[in-house]
Short mmCIF file of all heavy atoms in Angstrom, two decimals:
data_model
loop_
_atom_site.label_atom_id
_atom_site.label_comp_id
_atom_site.label_asym_id
_atom_site.label_seq_id
_atom_site.Cartn_x
_atom_site.Cartn_y
_atom_site.Cartn_z
N LYS L 289 129.42 77.60 107.86
CA LYS L 289 130.26 78.04 108.94
C LYS L 289 129.89 79.48 109.37
O LYS L 289 129.84 79.77 110.58
CB LYS L 289 131.72 78.04 108.49
CG LYS L 289 132.64 77.15 109.28
CD LYS L 289 134.02 77.14 108.69
CE LYS L 289 135.06 76.66 109.66
NZ LYS L 289 136.34 76.44 108.94
N ALA L 290 129.66 80.35 108.40
CA ALA L 290 129.31 81.76 108.72
C ALA L 290 127.97 81.79 109.44
O ALA L 290 127.79 82.49 110.45
CB ALA L 290 129.29 82.57 107.44
N VAL L 291 126.99 81.04 108.90
CA VAL L 291 125.67 81.02 109.55
C VAL L 291 125.80 80.51 110.95
O VAL L 291 125.19 81.05 111.91
CB VAL L 291 124.70 80.10 108.73
CG1 VAL L 291 123.41 79.88 109.48
CG2 VAL L 291 124.42 80.69 107.35
N SER L 292 126.60 79.46 111.13
CA SER L 292 126.83 78.85 112.43
C SER L 292 127.49 79.88 113.37
O SER L 292 127.09 79.96 114.57
CB SER L 292 127.72 77.65 112.21
OG SER L 292 127.69 76.83 113.35
N HIS L 293 128.44 80.61 112.87
CA HIS L 293 129.12 81.62 113.68
C HIS L 293 128.14 82.67 114.21
O HIS L 293 128.13 82.98 115.42
CB HIS L 293 130.22 82.27 112.82
CG HIS L 293 130.79 83.52 113.46
ND1 HIS L 293 131.66 83.48 114.50
CD2 HIS L 293 130.62 84.82 113.17
CE1 HIS L 293 132.00 84.71 114.85
NE2 HIS L 293 131.39 85.54 114.04
N TYR L 294 127.33 83.23 113.33
CA TYR L 294 126.42 84.28 113.78
C TYR L 294 125.30 83.71 114.67
O TYR L 294 124.85 84.38 115.60
CB TYR L 294 125.84 85.06 112.58
CG TYR L 294 126.90 85.90 111.90
CD1 TYR L 294 127.35 85.60 110.62
CD2 TYR L 294 127.55 86.94 112.60
CE1 TYR L 294 128.36 86.34 110.03
CE2 TYR L 294 128.54 87.67 112.02
CZ TYR L 294 128.96 87.36 110.73
OH TYR L 294 129.97 88.12 110.15
N SER L 295 124.88 82.51 114.39
CA SER L 295 123.89 81.84 115.23
C SER L 295 124.45 81.65 116.65
O SER L 295 123.74 81.93 117.68
CB SER L 295 123.51 80.48 114.69
OG SER L 295 122.99 80.58 113.40
N SER L 296 125.71 81.26 116.72
CA SER L 296 126.28 81.04 118.02
C SER L 296 126.51 82.33 118.78
O SER L 296 126.29 82.41 120.01
CB SER L 296 127.55 80.20 117.85
OG SER L 296 128.61 80.69 118.60
N GLU L 297 126.89 83.39 118.06
CA GLU L 297 127.00 84.73 118.70
C GLU L 297 125.65 85.18 119.22
O GLU L 297 125.52 85.82 120.25
CB GLU L 297 127.50 85.72 117.70
CG GLU L 297 128.92 85.51 117.16
CD GLU L 297 129.90 86.38 117.89
OE1 GLU L 297 129.81 87.57 117.80
OE2 GLU L 297 130.80 85.77 118.60
N ALA L 298 124.60 84.87 118.44
CA ALA L 298 123.23 85.26 118.83
C ALA L 298 122.88 84.53 120.10
O ALA L 298 122.29 85.12 121.02
CB ALA L 298 122.25 84.91 117.71
N LEU L 299 123.25 83.30 120.21
CA LEU L 299 122.94 82.47 121.42
C LEU L 299 123.65 83.09 122.64
O LEU L 299 123.11 83.07 123.75
CB LEU L 299 123.34 81.03 121.22
CG LEU L 299 122.38 80.21 120.37
CD1 LEU L 299 122.96 78.82 120.09
CD2 LEU L 299 121.00 80.13 121.03
N THR L 300 124.91 83.54 122.44
CA THR L 300 125.64 84.16 123.53
C THR L 300 124.92 85.39 124.06
O THR L 300 124.76 85.60 125.24
CB THR L 300 127.06 84.55 123.04
OG1 THR L 300 127.68 83.38 122.50
CG2 THR L 300 127.88 85.11 124.17
N ALA L 301 124.45 86.25 123.09
CA ALA L 301 123.70 87.45 123.49
C ALA L 301 122.47 87.08 124.22
O ALA L 301 122.11 87.67 125.27
CB ALA L 301 123.42 88.30 122.26
N LEU L 302 121.78 86.04 123.72
CA LEU L 302 120.53 85.60 124.35
C LEU L 302 120.79 85.20 125.79
O LEU L 302 120.01 85.53 126.69
CB LEU L 302 120.01 84.40 123.55
CG LEU L 302 118.71 83.73 124.06
CD1 LEU L 302 117.56 84.70 123.96
CD2 LEU L 302 118.41 82.47 123.22
N LYS L 303 121.86 84.48 126.01
CA LYS L 303 122.16 84.05 127.37
C LYS L 303 122.48 85.25 128.26
O LYS L 303 122.03 85.33 129.41
CB LYS L 303 123.43 83.12 127.28
CG LYS L 303 123.47 82.15 128.43
CD LYS L 303 124.47 81.01 128.12
CE LYS L 303 124.55 80.06 129.31
NZ LYS L 303 125.53 79.00 129.10
N LYS L 304 123.20 86.22 127.72
CA LYS L 304 123.56 87.42 128.47
C LYS L 304 122.34 88.27 128.86
O LYS L 304 122.43 89.13 129.70
CB LYS L 304 124.55 88.30 127.67
CG LYS L 304 125.99 87.77 127.69
CD LYS L 304 126.90 88.85 127.11
CE LYS L 304 128.35 88.35 127.01
NZ LYS L 304 129.11 89.21 126.08
N SER L 305 121.25 88.02 128.15
CA SER L 305 120.05 88.81 128.46
C SER L 305 119.50 88.44 129.85
O SER L 305 118.68 89.17 130.38
CB SER L 305 118.96 88.52 127.42
OG SER L 305 118.38 87.24 127.67
N GLY L 306 119.96 87.30 130.38
CA GLY L 306 119.50 86.91 131.72
C GLY L 306 118.22 86.10 131.73
O GLY L 306 117.75 85.74 132.79
N LEU L 307 117.68 85.83 130.57
CA LEU L 307 116.49 84.97 130.51
C LEU L 307 116.87 83.58 130.98
O LEU L 307 117.97 83.09 130.71
CB LEU L 307 115.95 84.86 129.10
CG LEU L 307 115.12 86.04 128.55
CD1 LEU L 307 114.72 85.77 127.10
CD2 LEU L 307 113.88 86.31 129.40
#
Side-chain angles (χ1 to χ4, degrees):
Chain L
K289 241 177 160 168
V291 170
S292 195
H293 168 74
Y294 291 113
S295 300
S296 135
E297 295 262 297
L299 284 173
T300 305
L302 178 64
K303 206 164 178 183
K304 281 192 186 162
S305 74
L307 281 178

